[in-house]
Amino acid sequence: MTQTDPTCIGRVSHVVGATVTVRLDPELAGVAPLWRGRLQPIGQVGSLVTLPQGPVRLLASVTLVGISELAGALPPVDVVQTGDRWLRLQLLGEVDAVGRFQRGVTSYPGLDDPVHFAEPELFARVYPPHSTSHVRIGRLAANPDVPLALEARRLVTRHSVVVGSTGAGKTSTVASLLQKFVREGWESANIVVIDPHGEYISAVRDLASVRSVTGDGANALRVPYWALPATDILTALTGGASTNATLVNRFIELVAEQRRQYADACGWLSDSSTVTADTPIPFDLHEVWHKLDYDNNATVTKKSGGTDCVIDSGDPRSLKPAKFTPHGPGGTPPMQGPLYGRFGTVPGHIRWRMRDPRFAFFLKPDSQTLDHDPFIEVLDEWLGGEKPLSVLDFSGVPSEAADLAIGVVLRLLFELCLRSTPEVGVGRHRPVLVVMEEAHRFLAEGSTVRVARDSVNRIAREGRKYGIGMMLVSQRPSELPETAFSQAGTVIAMRLTNSADQSRVRSGLPDTLVGLAEALPSLRTGEALIAGEAIALPSRVMIDAPHPAPHAADPGLEGWRGAPSIEGLQNALAKWRGLETEE
């Protein structure tokens, strides 16, 4: 082959749809030719090559590298060829005569058409720099001189996933993106980070509002029960336990009554006639519990027209149940009340939940706030107030309680965006991005309460229309809901060694790009395969390191040296119990 262009590396030998096989120039030394004093890594999976077609240049990505006699027969030829080195390419897009890049191709190469490695000048046309519309994420792995930025609007509103095995760099990738959003001009962003381990606080402490379920005062995370519809409150309080229709109807009746009482008493609502059991205003849950428990245990002097046989009326605020004279045997007085035993153990379960300190976040703020709307304060806390980032720290909370809290936060943020307008509020006016770390922990099929799972699936299906997007971060993509994963417009896949997880990532890529997923097990720490709507072309990227770094590094073994001790156990036990101890 006579080579006149120093960038030419070979010629087309097969074309099957968008898949092209290239026979490398026999005189080409290796698969990394030297050009302008630098090696061009054309033999690396994911590197780019070009195929001139008149004034248009087709762009393709390398998906396979091989030698003919080792690879067997190459489709569409059944005969094993020998002596050739080859590349398999996937056509991705084209650069027109005026230098504009677009995905997809309008023409296909012919046999023996020359193939060139992509020179650096071409990358500037394909990969836009970070700007008011693009946020930088790293550098092209095949060419470290080329910065790579993601289109912010598509990344936020079209959903995304960040997946990778433990230690691959997921948390650092997300932390780097969060820092770039704030430092590159998005000071009014609405980014809510669901952080189950408290890893992001060190990375964004100066940029974010941080609230914790176990925090106190201004640092406390409040997730009010009364913001949910009545049936959802009952599900949360019973842990998903089976409930009968009589109980549900009575609970709805009592909640509606208590909401209307609050509306009549507060100073910021003018009309209680439209209040229902699902209106998101405060009500006294203690009174609802007390009446349920009262009905469930009441005995009466006679079935019709009798009076209640109350020994002690109890106290709703202290969760003290009422006591009654036991019913008589064989239908003798006192009689069982009309709802005696109809609610089973549910009132007791609700009382236990309300007394459990792990669920204290669910009971604040209560119905004692009468002079203003407390929901505005809660939502403002979730969205970070004047900060562009908000970290909701769920570390140290049992999975069941965290599932409930996260589900409530996601559901209410969606409802807020749903009811906002394009001109004011959040949502379409100021989109919300929810970043969910360790997503598989709350969204897997085995989730008990399922509030979080249902909320994520709803955001995945409908969030784009109302300006709420999500970024799911997980080391087990195979355990993420199919609905949520399939709706992710951008996939950031780091090193994955589990075959089931690799298969899930492949399912999220177009059929033409599945070959790139073969590189997943061999990606370096901090390197990712990025594909989807937020990036011009599927690419292997070295992610920029965050500064400061999140608290996600592997622990060291320095503590294994020296004399053993049991220091620090007292503090750990105090945090576990949620109690203060004397110094």
Side-chain angles (χ1 to χ4, degrees), residues 230 234 244-257 277 287-288 290-296 339 342-343:
L234 184 59
N244 57 63
T246 302
L247 169 64
V248 173
N249 291 335
R250 181 58 174 159
F251 188 82
I252 290 174
E253 178 186 345
L254 292 173
V255 170
E257 177 185 319
E287 287 288 348
V288 172
H290 188 261
K291 291 182 178 181
L292 276 181
D293 186 77
Y294 189 101
D295 292 344
N296 199 48
L339 294 176
R342 298 290 296 275
F343 305 151

Side-chain angles (χ1 to χ4, degrees), residues 114-135:
V115 179
H116 303 255
F117 59 76
E119 63 271 22
E121 291 80 2
L122 183 65
F123 290 118
R125 301 175 182 175
V126 177
Y127 297 108
H130 68 275
S131 61
T132 57
S133 62
H134 287 72
V135 57

Side-chain angles (χ1 to χ4, degrees), residues 21 60 86 134 136 165 232 297 318 337 361 366 370 387 461 477 483 512 531 533 564:
T21 304
W86 54 271
H134 287 72
R136 173 169 168 145
S165 300
D232 291 336
N297 294 286
S318 62
F361 67 89
D366 60 16
L370 297 174
K387 298 281 189 178
R461 292 189 300 265
T483 298
T512 55
E533 300 188 27

